[in-house]
Amino acid sequence: MDVPGIELNNGTTIPQLGFGVFQIDPSDTVEAVSTALETGYRHIDTAQMYGNEAEVGEAVAKSDIPRDQLWITTKCNNSNHGYDDAQSALDESLQKMGLDHVDLYLIHWPLPGKDLYVETWKGLEKAYQDGKTRAIGVSNFQPHHLDRLLSETDTVPAVNQIELHPHMQQAGLRSYHERHGIRTEAWSPIGQGRGLLDAPELAEIAQAHGKSAAQVVLRWHVQIGNIVFPKSATAARIRENFEIFDFELSDDEVKTIDGMEKAERLGPDPDRFDR
Ligand code: NAD
């Protein structure tokens, strides 16, 4: 099954569906990532914060998949804000993963209280110029954080990776992204597998297509243009989450899911998170 590619604002193309490894224990990561790669995933989303970059690299090395067919994202940890630290943090990630470049390097959180995200972004611009990453972006940035990057630096982020699922749809940020050529990456796309997947609206749509609630939600993301990377350490679910390109939601079904918005965050509010 072919995963569609989404073109970013610097001409690179990211697979729209990937595999997220947040909270996968390092001892389970090689197996989980290997299963994902065998299933057909070619995009892995990790971070310095997740503590499993070395194991992601090990699975990639074991796979024999040519490097140019893979998309690897990692993120600058909150302890590494600053022009120099952001670059040396990427050097360390590359060393851990055994790679000479990543495909996407993100600032993980803006940390407004530290007020270093503009300097950090300039560090990412330098890493990009040095060929250590094929694209740069941010995560958990609000419009007013993005405004500063747009006015004070030379590069528009290729993506903003934000909490986004049917209970937290981020209409404001999505339209900001659209206006500025920034792609939306959705984290916790299936709401961390908690309450969301029990919603009766999803059960009805899932039944109509012979799919699971998780597959319906992932399909909704794909149809509204989001880039997604659901996490699972279970082989059957890793495969299930990949089987979303053989059915299509109707406009009415998309509207039903659009109607599930609750502005309900599972994670921290980026304006208040400074650690
Ligand atoms: P998710 O929405 O992907 O949910 C994962 C959980 O859902 C799993 O732990 C499992 O319990 C359950 N699950 C998985 N597949 C299922 C299925 N088919 N049916 C039923 N339940 C299923 O949540 P996530 O891991 O928080 O987010 C995905 C990825 O997003 C992460 O791995 C990470 O790469 C990224 N992320 C980024 C940030 C950030 O700040 N940038 C924050 C959180 C997550």
Side-chain angles (χ1 to χ4, degrees), residues 177-190:
H177 294 166
E178 208 157 299
R179 286 198 302 282
H180 294 284
I182 300 168
R183 293 294 189 179
T184 302
E185 292 196 332
W187 65 253
S188 294
I190 52 173

Side-chain angles (χ1 to χ4, degrees), residues 20-22 45 50 75 108-109 139-140 161 187-193 197 214 229-232 237 240-241:
V21 297
F22 177 44
D45 184 272
Y50 303 165
K75 313 183 189 89
H108 207 146
W109 289 88
S139 177
N140 300 302
Q161 181 178 127
W187 65 253
S188 294
I190 52 173
Q192 298 173 359
L197 296 183
F229 23 81
K231 169 252 168 181
S232 175
R237 283 179 168 172
E240 175 184 328
N241 295 342

Side-chain angles (χ1 to χ4, degrees), residues 18-272:
F19 182 63
V21 297
F22 177 44
Q23 288 175 331
I24 300 188
D25 193 273
S27 63
D28 297 327
T29 302
V30 175
E31 192 180 335
V33 173
S34 298
T35 303
L37 295 174
E38 280 156 24
T39 303
Y41 293 83
R42 291 294 179 267
H43 164 187
I44 310 293
D45 184 272
T46 185
Q48 287 155 12
M49 196 188 284
Y50 303 165
N52 53 20
E53 287 174 306
E55 291 75 13
V56 168
E58 199 181 323
V60 164
K62 270 177 62 180
S63 76
D64 290 334
I65 298 169
R67 177 66 185 89
D68 64 2
Q69 289 177 26
L70 290 169
W71 185 281
I72 313 285
T73 298
T74 196
K75 313 183 189 89
C76 176
N77 206 1
N78 295 344
S79 51
N80 294 317
H81 274 218
Y83 181 78
D84 291 325
D85 283 4
Q87 292 173 69
S88 48
L90 177 54
D91 292 339
E92 207 177 298
S93 291
L94 291 173
Q95 200 195 356
K96 280 190 181 151
M97 290 192 279
L99 300 176
D100 63 2
H101 71 279
V102 288
D103 298 278
L104 182 60
Y105 188 41
L106 307 180
I107 302 179
H108 207 146
W109 289 88
L111 311 180
K114 282 194 181 171
D115 195 20
L116 281 172
Y117 60 84
V118 176
E119 280 312 298
T120 307
W121 183 245
K122 291 178 181 169
L124 267 67
E125 287 180 307
K126 178 71 167 65
Y128 177 65
Q129 285 155 16
D130 291 344
K132 293 176 188 169
T133 179
R134 293 176 63 228
I136 52 175
V138 295
S139 177
N140 300 302
F141 273 47
Q142 301 281 44
H144 60 104
H145 306 129
L146 293 167
D147 282 342
R148 283 194 59 199
L149 299 190
L150 265 48
S151 66
E152 297 177 39
T153 77
D154 299 325
T155 315
V156 177
V159 308
N160 186 16
Q161 181 178 127
I162 53 175
E163 178 177 348
L164 204 175
H165 43 76
H167 286 168
M168 180 71 194
Q169 300 191 16
Q170 304 266 26
L173 263 169
R174 275 161 54 207
S175 86
Y176 184 106
H177 294 166
E178 208 157 299
R179 286 198 302 282
H180 294 284
I182 300 168
R183 293 294 189 179
T184 302
E185 292 196 332
W187 65 253
S188 294
I190 52 173
Q192 298 173 359
R194 297 198 243 139
L196 169 69
L197 296 183
D198 300 327
E201 297 95 317
L202 297 178
E204 196 179 321
I205 298 171
Q207 198 181 11
H209 291 279
K211 290 284 179 180
S212 68
Q215 289 170 321
V216 165
V217 173
L218 292 170
R219 181 70 210 179
W220 170 80
H221 281 287
V222 165
Q223 286 187 214
I224 66 170
N226 296 337
I227 299 159
V228 277
F229 23 81
K231 169 252 168 181
S232 175
T234 311
R237 283 179 168 172
I238 294 172
R239 293 189 197 106
E240 175 184 328
N241 295 342
F242 195 74
E243 304 289 317
I244 58 166
F245 299 105
D246 55 357
F247 75 112
E248 195 167 344
L249 302 176
S250 68
D251 291 349
D252 281 349
E253 288 168 334
V254 170
K255 273 193 206 124
T256 299
I257 302 174
D258 291 347
M260 292 175 67
E261 169 70 306
K262 292 184 177 175
E264 194 173 271
R265 280 188 195 281
L266 298 168
D269 178 342
D271 279 317
R272 297 206 176 82

